[in-house]
Amino acid sequence: MDDPNDRGGGTTPSKENPSTPLSLIAEAFEELARTIKSKDFQDLRLGTFSEACSLVSVLFGCLGIAFKFAEMEYVAKVQDLVQASKTFGTLRNIIDYDVENDTVRKPGSSTRNLRRVRQGLDLIRALFEQFISSDECSLREAASSAYAEVCAPFHTWAIRTAVFAGMYALPSKQQLILKLNETDQSVEREMRRYIDASIPVIEYIDKLYISKNITLDW
């Protein structure tokens, strides 16, 4: 689906840390974003999308118990999409199938799994935005704001309470930077790359749901 002649609009991959988790994630999502922006774009390949999402799993693991709920849900849903990619070619294909079979919101359906994965991607996007917004902003403050923005509206009171209580177990900013094998300078650069690249991907997924008259409030 990618246009080999269209390679503009992306950020040049980092040469300093070519194999850090963040640089690999940023590069994968920049490729997805370039595909979406290419002139001949029709849909994202489910296999390519799932592979990029698999790279994000390591981030939830680095955040500890506070984000265990997200890690468990996200990783499982990504694996389900990886399996679905053996049957369905694109993101639109899985949504079309579930719409036709009235299984869009059915637990275990690919459309429901895609919705949860999309929330995970957006949670990381919001966390990164908060993380780099201020040197004074702690990881706990960044994570709490990101969770409140992206996930809390869809969670029960019990889950919200447990998550916010777990925020106190988060590592410090510096500890997270070390876990990701980054420096103070490189971590901001790589996080910005992911933020910029993930937005068009998230927006595209939302447009797919809206095009099928599926609301985004679940």
PDB file of all heavy atoms in Angstrom, residues 54-77:
ATOM      1  N   SER A  54       3.051  -3.950  18.393  1.00  0.00           N
ATOM      2  CA  SER A  54       3.762  -4.898  19.263  1.00  0.00           C
ATOM      3  C   SER A  54       4.983  -4.246  19.897  1.00  0.00           C
ATOM      4  O   SER A  54       5.355  -4.561  21.042  1.00  0.00           O
ATOM      5  CB  SER A  54       4.194  -6.132  18.467  1.00  0.00           C
ATOM      6  OG  SER A  54       3.080  -6.860  18.000  1.00  0.00           O
ATOM      7  N   LEU A  55       5.619  -3.339  19.186  1.00  0.00           N
ATOM      8  CA  LEU A  55       6.813  -2.660  19.699  1.00  0.00           C
ATOM      9  C   LEU A  55       6.498  -1.789  20.906  1.00  0.00           C
ATOM     10  O   LEU A  55       7.353  -1.553  21.759  1.00  0.00           O
ATOM     11  CB  LEU A  55       7.447  -1.802  18.597  1.00  0.00           C
ATOM     12  CG  LEU A  55       7.965  -2.542  17.360  1.00  0.00           C
ATOM     13  CD1 LEU A  55       8.402  -1.539  16.295  1.00  0.00           C
ATOM     14  CD2 LEU A  55       9.128  -3.464  17.725  1.00  0.00           C
ATOM     15  N   VAL A  56       5.251  -1.306  20.975  1.00  0.00           N
ATOM     16  CA  VAL A  56       4.845  -0.397  22.051  1.00  0.00           C
ATOM     17  C   VAL A  56       4.702  -1.136  23.378  1.00  0.00           C
ATOM     18  O   VAL A  56       4.773  -0.523  24.448  1.00  0.00           O
ATOM     19  CB  VAL A  56       3.522   0.317  21.670  1.00  0.00           C
ATOM     20  CG1 VAL A  56       3.049   1.250  22.781  1.00  0.00           C
ATOM     21  CG2 VAL A  56       3.697   1.112  20.371  1.00  0.00           C
ATOM     22  N   SER A  57       4.521  -2.445  23.329  1.00  0.00           N
ATOM     23  CA  SER A  57       4.272  -3.235  24.545  1.00  0.00           C
ATOM     24  C   SER A  57       5.339  -3.023  25.608  1.00  0.00           C
ATOM     25  O   SER A  57       5.044  -2.997  26.817  1.00  0.00           O
ATOM     26  CB  SER A  57       4.180  -4.723  24.192  1.00  0.00           C
ATOM     27  OG  SER A  57       3.126  -4.965  23.276  1.00  0.00           O
ATOM     28  N   VAL A  58       6.594  -2.859  25.184  1.00  0.00           N
ATOM     29  CA  VAL A  58       7.697  -2.717  26.136  1.00  0.00           C
ATOM     30  C   VAL A  58       7.521  -1.467  27.006  1.00  0.00           C
ATOM     31  O   VAL A  58       7.946  -1.449  28.163  1.00  0.00           O
ATOM     32  CB  VAL A  58       9.055  -2.663  25.397  1.00  0.00           C
ATOM     33  CG1 VAL A  58       9.180  -1.404  24.549  1.00  0.00           C
ATOM     34  CG2 VAL A  58      10.212  -2.729  26.388  1.00  0.00           C
ATOM     35  N   LEU A  59       6.877  -0.445  26.481  1.00  0.00           N
ATOM     36  CA  LEU A  59       6.687   0.791  27.241  1.00  0.00           C
ATOM     37  C   LEU A  59       5.804   0.563  28.457  1.00  0.00           C
ATOM     38  O   LEU A  59       6.078   1.076  29.541  1.00  0.00           O
ATOM     39  CB  LEU A  59       6.077   1.874  26.348  1.00  0.00           C
ATOM     40  CG  LEU A  59       6.931   2.316  25.158  1.00  0.00           C
ATOM     41  CD1 LEU A  59       6.190   3.362  24.339  1.00  0.00           C
ATOM     42  CD2 LEU A  59       8.267   2.873  25.627  1.00  0.00           C
ATOM     43  N   PHE A  60       4.725  -0.208  28.282  1.00  0.00           N
ATOM     44  CA  PHE A  60       3.850  -0.487  29.417  1.00  0.00           C
ATOM     45  C   PHE A  60       4.594  -1.281  30.486  1.00  0.00           C
ATOM     46  O   PHE A  60       4.395  -1.067  31.684  1.00  0.00           O
ATOM     47  CB  PHE A  60       2.607  -1.251  28.947  1.00  0.00           C
ATOM     48  CG  PHE A  60       1.671  -0.417  28.117  1.00  0.00           C
ATOM     49  CD1 PHE A  60       1.501  -0.666  26.770  1.00  0.00           C
ATOM     50  CD2 PHE A  60       0.956   0.626  28.687  1.00  0.00           C
ATOM     51  CE1 PHE A  60       0.645   0.099  26.002  1.00  0.00           C
ATOM     52  CE2 PHE A  60       0.092   1.397  27.933  1.00  0.00           C
ATOM     53  CZ  PHE A  60      -0.070   1.133  26.584  1.00  0.00           C
ATOM     54  N   GLY A  61       5.458  -2.194  30.064  1.00  0.00           N
ATOM     55  CA  GLY A  61       6.244  -2.969  31.015  1.00  0.00           C
ATOM     56  C   GLY A  61       7.174  -2.097  31.840  1.00  0.00           C
ATOM     57  O   GLY A  61       7.400  -2.357  33.020  1.00  0.00           O
ATOM     58  N   CYS A  62       7.692  -1.037  31.232  1.00  0.00           N
ATOM     59  CA  CYS A  62       8.610  -0.130  31.932  1.00  0.00           C
ATOM     60  C   CYS A  62       7.904   0.733  32.969  1.00  0.00           C
ATOM     61  O   CYS A  62       8.551   1.297  33.854  1.00  0.00           O
ATOM     62  CB  CYS A  62       9.316   0.778  30.924  1.00  0.00           C
ATOM     63  SG  CYS A  62      10.529  -0.051  29.874  1.00  0.00           S
ATOM     64  N   LEU A  63       6.587   0.853  32.864  1.00  0.00           N
ATOM     65  CA  LEU A  63       5.839   1.743  33.752  1.00  0.00           C
ATOM     66  C   LEU A  63       5.396   1.071  35.041  1.00  0.00           C
ATOM     67  O   LEU A  63       4.880   1.719  35.943  1.00  0.00           O
ATOM     68  CB  LEU A  63       4.620   2.312  33.013  1.00  0.00           C
ATOM     69  CG  LEU A  63       4.969   3.268  31.873  1.00  0.00           C
ATOM     70  CD1 LEU A  63       3.743   3.585  31.042  1.00  0.00           C
ATOM     71  CD2 LEU A  63       5.597   4.549  32.410  1.00  0.00           C
ATOM     72  N   GLY A  64       5.583  -0.233  35.145  1.00  0.00           N
ATOM     73  CA  GLY A  64       5.320  -0.922  36.398  1.00  0.00           C
ATOM     74  C   GLY A  64       3.859  -1.208  36.675  1.00  0.00           C
ATOM     75  O   GLY A  64       3.012  -1.192  35.794  1.00  0.00           O
ATOM     76  N   ILE A  65       3.555  -1.429  37.971  1.00  0.00           N
ATOM     77  CA  ILE A  65       2.252  -1.936  38.386  1.00  0.00           C
ATOM     78  C   ILE A  65       1.110  -0.968  38.076  1.00  0.00           C
ATOM     79  O   ILE A  65      -0.028  -1.390  37.849  1.00  0.00           O
ATOM     80  CB  ILE A  65       2.260  -2.288  39.900  1.00  0.00           C
ATOM     81  CG1 ILE A  65       1.015  -3.099  40.264  1.00  0.00           C
ATOM     82  CG2 ILE A  65       2.400  -1.033  40.746  1.00  0.00           C
ATOM     83  CD1 ILE A  65       1.062  -3.677  41.670  1.00  0.00           C
ATOM     84  N   ALA A  66       1.390   0.330  38.070  1.00  0.00           N
ATOM     85  CA  ALA A  66       0.331   1.310  37.817  1.00  0.00           C
ATOM     86  C   ALA A  66      -0.314   1.101  36.456  1.00  0.00           C
ATOM     87  O   ALA A  66      -1.506   1.336  36.274  1.00  0.00           O
ATOM     88  CB  ALA A  66       0.886   2.734  37.919  1.00  0.00           C
ATOM     89  N   PHE A  67       0.484   0.645  35.495  1.00  0.00           N
ATOM     90  CA  PHE A  67      -0.038   0.453  34.149  1.00  0.00           C
ATOM     91  C   PHE A  67      -0.144  -1.036  33.790  1.00  0.00           C
ATOM     92  O   PHE A  67      -0.209  -1.385  32.623  1.00  0.00           O
ATOM     93  CB  PHE A  67       0.845   1.192  33.137  1.00  0.00           C
ATOM     94  CG  PHE A  67       0.509   2.648  33.030  1.00  0.00           C
ATOM     95  CD1 PHE A  67       0.858   3.520  34.042  1.00  0.00           C
ATOM     96  CD2 PHE A  67      -0.187   3.144  31.939  1.00  0.00           C
ATOM     97  CE1 PHE A  67       0.541   4.866  33.964  1.00  0.00           C
ATOM     98  CE2 PHE A  67      -0.507   4.486  31.848  1.00  0.00           C
ATOM     99  CZ  PHE A  67      -0.149   5.353  32.863  1.00  0.00           C
ATOM    100  N   LYS A  68      -0.211  -1.874  34.834  1.00  0.00           N
ATOM    101  CA  LYS A  68      -0.344  -3.307  34.580  1.00  0.00           C
ATOM    102  C   LYS A  68      -1.657  -3.607  33.863  1.00  0.00           C
ATOM    103  O   LYS A  68      -1.723  -4.470  32.992  1.00  0.00           O
ATOM    104  CB  LYS A  68      -0.290  -4.079  35.900  1.00  0.00           C
ATOM    105  CG  LYS A  68      -0.030  -5.578  35.711  1.00  0.00           C
ATOM    106  CD  LYS A  68       1.369  -5.813  35.129  1.00  0.00           C
ATOM    107  CE  LYS A  68       1.659  -7.290  34.955  1.00  0.00           C
ATOM    108  NZ  LYS A  68       2.986  -7.508  34.317  1.00  0.00           N
ATOM    109  N   PHE A  69      -2.701  -2.851  34.216  1.00  0.00           N
ATOM    110  CA  PHE A  69      -4.002  -3.033  33.567  1.00  0.00           C
ATOM    111  C   PHE A  69      -3.869  -2.788  32.068  1.00  0.00           C
ATOM    112  O   PHE A  69      -4.443  -3.526  31.248  1.00  0.00           O
ATOM    113  CB  PHE A  69      -5.035  -2.064  34.160  1.00  0.00           C
ATOM    114  CG  PHE A  69      -4.924  -0.659  33.638  1.00  0.00           C
ATOM    115  CD1 PHE A  69      -5.698  -0.226  32.572  1.00  0.00           C
ATOM    116  CD2 PHE A  69      -4.007   0.235  34.184  1.00  0.00           C
ATOM    117  CE1 PHE A  69      -5.574   1.059  32.079  1.00  0.00           C
ATOM    118  CE2 PHE A  69      -3.876   1.516  33.690  1.00  0.00           C
ATOM    119  CZ  PHE A  69      -4.670   1.935  32.634  1.00  0.00           C
ATOM    120  N   ALA A  70      -3.111  -1.755  31.712  1.00  0.00           N
ATOM    121  CA  ALA A  70      -2.952  -1.397  30.307  1.00  0.00           C
ATOM    122  C   ALA A  70      -2.059  -2.407  29.593  1.00  0.00           C
ATOM    123  O   ALA A  70      -2.336  -2.797  28.456  1.00  0.00           O
ATOM    124  CB  ALA A  70      -2.361   0.010  30.187  1.00  0.00           C
ATOM    125  N   GLU A  71      -1.003  -2.839  30.271  1.00  0.00           N
ATOM    126  CA  GLU A  71      -0.095  -3.812  29.666  1.00  0.00           C
ATOM    127  C   GLU A  71      -0.823  -5.120  29.359  1.00  0.00           C
ATOM    128  O   GLU A  71      -0.726  -5.658  28.249  1.00  0.00           O
ATOM    129  CB  GLU A  71       1.090  -4.093  30.598  1.00  0.00           C
ATOM    130  CG  GLU A  71       2.074  -5.102  30.009  1.00  0.00           C
ATOM    131  CD  GLU A  71       3.184  -5.474  30.980  1.00  0.00           C
ATOM    132  OE1 GLU A  71       3.040  -5.200  32.188  1.00  0.00           O
ATOM    133  OE2 GLU A  71       4.190  -6.036  30.528  1.00  0.00           O
ATOM    134  N   MET A  72      -1.566  -5.624  30.332  1.00  0.00           N
ATOM    135  CA  MET A  72      -2.268  -6.895  30.152  1.00  0.00           C
ATOM    136  C   MET A  72      -3.297  -6.802  29.033  1.00  0.00           C
ATOM    137  O   MET A  72      -3.403  -7.685  28.187  1.00  0.00           O
ATOM    138  CB  MET A  72      -2.939  -7.311  31.468  1.00  0.00           C
ATOM    139  CG  MET A  72      -1.959  -7.662  32.569  1.00  0.00           C
ATOM    140  SD  MET A  72      -2.751  -7.991  34.153  1.00  0.00           S
ATOM    141  CE  MET A  72      -3.657  -9.476  33.754  1.00  0.00           C
ATOM    142  N   GLU A  73      -4.072  -5.719  29.032  1.00  0.00           N
ATOM    143  CA  GLU A  73      -5.108  -5.566  28.020  1.00  0.00           C
ATOM    144  C   GLU A  73      -4.495  -5.290  26.648  1.00  0.00           C
ATOM    145  O   GLU A  73      -4.881  -5.897  25.651  1.00  0.00           O
ATOM    146  CB  GLU A  73      -6.065  -4.428  28.408  1.00  0.00           C
ATOM    147  CG  GLU A  73      -7.043  -4.066  27.321  1.00  0.00           C
ATOM    148  CD  GLU A  73      -8.460  -3.894  27.833  1.00  0.00           C
ATOM    149  OE1 GLU A  73      -8.928  -4.730  28.624  1.00  0.00           O
ATOM    150  OE2 GLU A  73      -9.088  -2.918  27.440  1.00  0.00           O
ATOM    151  N   TYR A  74      -3.533  -4.392  26.609  1.00  0.00           N
ATOM    152  CA  TYR A  74      -2.936  -3.991  25.331  1.00  0.00           C
ATOM    153  C   TYR A  74      -2.220  -5.156  24.656  1.00  0.00           C
ATOM    154  O   TYR A  74      -2.450  -5.436  23.482  1.00  0.00           O
ATOM    155  CB  TYR A  74      -1.962  -2.832  25.558  1.00  0.00           C
ATOM    156  CG  TYR A  74      -1.300  -2.342  24.291  1.00  0.00           C
ATOM    157  CD1 TYR A  74      -1.915  -1.398  23.483  1.00  0.00           C
ATOM    158  CD2 TYR A  74      -0.046  -2.830  23.903  1.00  0.00           C
ATOM    159  CE1 TYR A  74      -1.311  -0.953  22.318  1.00  0.00           C
ATOM    160  CE2 TYR A  74       0.558  -2.399  22.740  1.00  0.00           C
ATOM    161  CZ  TYR A  74      -0.081  -1.450  21.957  1.00  0.00           C
ATOM    162  OH  TYR A  74       0.526  -1.025  20.786  1.00  0.00           O
ATOM    163  N   VAL A  75      -1.347  -5.831  25.389  1.00  0.00           N
ATOM    164  CA  VAL A  75      -0.557  -6.918  24.806  1.00  0.00           C
ATOM    165  C   VAL A  75      -1.461  -8.018  24.267  1.00  0.00           C
ATOM    166  O   VAL A  75      -1.259  -8.525  23.153  1.00  0.00           O
ATOM    167  CB  VAL A  75       0.436  -7.489  25.843  1.00  0.00           C
ATOM    168  CG1 VAL A  75       1.122  -8.733  25.294  1.00  0.00           C
ATOM    169  CG2 VAL A  75       1.481  -6.440  26.212  1.00  0.00           C
ATOM    170  N   ALA A  76      -2.487  -8.380  25.037  1.00  0.00           N
ATOM    171  CA  ALA A  76      -3.403  -9.436  24.603  1.00  0.00           C
ATOM    172  C   ALA A  76      -4.156  -9.036  23.346  1.00  0.00           C
ATOM    173  O   ALA A  76      -4.318  -9.839  22.411  1.00  0.00           O
ATOM    174  CB  ALA A  76      -4.389  -9.761  25.727  1.00  0.00           C
ATOM    175  N   LYS A  77      -4.599  -7.792  23.301  1.00  0.00           N
ATOM    176  CA  LYS A  77      -5.373  -7.333  22.143  1.00  0.00           C
ATOM    177  C   LYS A  77      -4.495  -7.236  20.896  1.00  0.00           C
ATOM    178  O   LYS A  77      -4.948  -7.533  19.783  1.00  0.00           O
ATOM    179  CB  LYS A  77      -6.011  -5.964  22.437  1.00  0.00           C
ATOM    180  CG  LYS A  77      -6.979  -5.966  23.623  1.00  0.00           C
ATOM    181  CD  LYS A  77      -8.137  -6.909  23.388  1.00  0.00           C
ATOM    182  CE  LYS A  77      -9.185  -6.831  24.489  1.00  0.00           C
ATOM    183  NZ  LYS A  77      -8.789  -7.473  25.743  1.00  0.00           N
TER     184      LYS A  77
END
